[in-house]
Amino acid sequence: NAGVTQTPKFQVLKTGQSMTLQCAQDMNHNSMYWYRQDPGMGLRLIYYSASEGTTDKGEVPNGYNVSRLNKREFSLRLESAAPSQTSVYFCASRGTQSYNEQFFGPGTRLTVL
Amino acid sequence: EDQVTQSPEALRLQEGESSSLNCSYTVSGLRGLFWYRQDPGKGPEFLFTLYSAGEEKEKERLKATLTKKESFLHITAPKPEDSATYLCAVQAHDYKLSFGAGTTVTVRA
């Protein structure tokens, strides 16, 4: 039982390049989330998926797109990376009970030059 | 808009020196308050969920309490391995979490 896994762990992009961050969970959770973490600002929600087939915007969605590929996988795409997207990205999942805690992956550290 | 403020930003403790971290919040319809621990270079790790004012939960040297406006994370007789950033988050009616910026705790031997 690996929990929540993310790939890659590190990535360096040039401004304007695109890439997809991958996330998978093996806990049979319905809900999945993408956050970014910047120094002094805490975790901010980018997009989330309450269940397979649905996605919704979070607090900071501009410049990102997501795909809930199936119940296990939720990807985050940067179509044209900008230096302001330099951050650490975390994926999380949550069980079916209303008050279940979110379980986080190890993160992807992204630098955009 | 939900707001979560954690204080202090950083806390340096001597081993065995007990202290408390504060998480104050404003939220419409609190469904739960969560505490997480985050080690450098890793994802947040769940510690506690508190649901109603007056509730307390304990795990080893950590004890979390909740009032209607704030939560405290008490660290009793900390050890160097308790060094981490502690994050507080609130969950409102839409089941999304709003996080504070965290308190970084350093415990010196």
Side-chain angles (χ1 to χ4, degrees):
Chain A
N1 191 338
V4 179
T5 57
Q6 292 183 237
T7 55
K9 292 189 175 179
F10 301 93
Q11 184 71 50
V12 178
L13 294 177
K14 295 181 180 179
T15 296
Q17 287 185 316
S18 63
M19 79 160 296
T20 299
L21 281 64
Q22 306 287 352
C23 173
Q25 52 90 10
D26 61 2
M27 297 174 283
N28 200 35
H29 286 169
N30 283 335
S31 302
M32 298 185 73
Y33 306 80
W34 276 106
Y35 294 88
R36 60 178 289 172
Q37 187 175 39
D38 302 293
M41 300 193 70
L43 287 154
R44 292 183 293 167
L45 184 64
I46 305 171
Y47 270 94
Y48 67 103
S49 171
S51 61
E52 186 179 356
T54 69
T55 60
D56 285 288
K57 295 179 180 179
E59 182 185 353
V60 288
N62 291 346
Y64 305 95
N65 285 300
V66 290
S67 295
R68 184 73 183 267
L69 304 171
N70 47 55
K71 190 170 185 179
R72 291 186 61 250
E73 299 172 288
F74 188 37
S75 63
L76 179 71
R77 183 161 179 83
L78 287 69
E79 291 290 352
S80 180
S84 60
Q85 294 178 306
T86 292
S87 187
V88 182
Y89 292 86
F90 290 100
C91 177
S93 70
R94 184 175 67 86
T96 56
Q97 298 300 315
S98 299
Y99 307 146
N100 276 164
E101 63 273 18
Q102 292 184 16
F103 292 89
F104 285 80
T108 294
R109 185 173 295 275
L110 175 67
T111 302
V112 183
L113 303 175
Chain B
E1 184 178 321
D2 303 339
Q3 286 197 327
V4 181
T5 304
Q6 292 188 245
S7 61
E9 290 184 13
L11 189 61
R12 293 176 65 87
L13 300 172
Q14 200 67 36
E15 184 173 5
E17 178 189 2
S18 302
S19 188
S20 296
L21 284 58
N22 178 264
C23 171
S24 62
Y25 64 90
T26 55
V27 62
S28 176
L30 179 71
R31 294 291 182 118
L33 186 141
F34 298 77
W35 282 99
Y36 286 84
R37 170 192 170 122
Q38 186 174 24
D39 293 307
K42 297 193 175 180
E45 176 186 347
F46 170 74
L47 291 173
F48 304 109
T49 309
L50 301 168
Y51 297 111
S52 57
E55 188 174 1
E56 299 182 351
K57 287 194 176 174
E58 288 187 67
K59 180 180 181 179
E60 296 181 356
R61 295 175 293 281
L62 301 177
K63 179 181 177 180
T65 62
L66 180 65
T67 72
K68 288 187 177 180
K69 293 184 178 181
E70 57 192 351
S71 177
F72 292 94
L73 184 66
H74 308 278
I75 309 178
T76 302
K79 297 182 177 182
E81 53 262 42
D82 295 321
S83 297
T85 296
Y86 292 87
L87 304 173
C88 169
V90 296
Q91 182 179 50
H93 58 90
D94 57 2
Y95 307 124
K96 292 182 287 188
L97 291 181
S98 296
F99 281 85
T103 294
T104 299
V105 175
T106 303
V107 183
R108 296 167 291 175

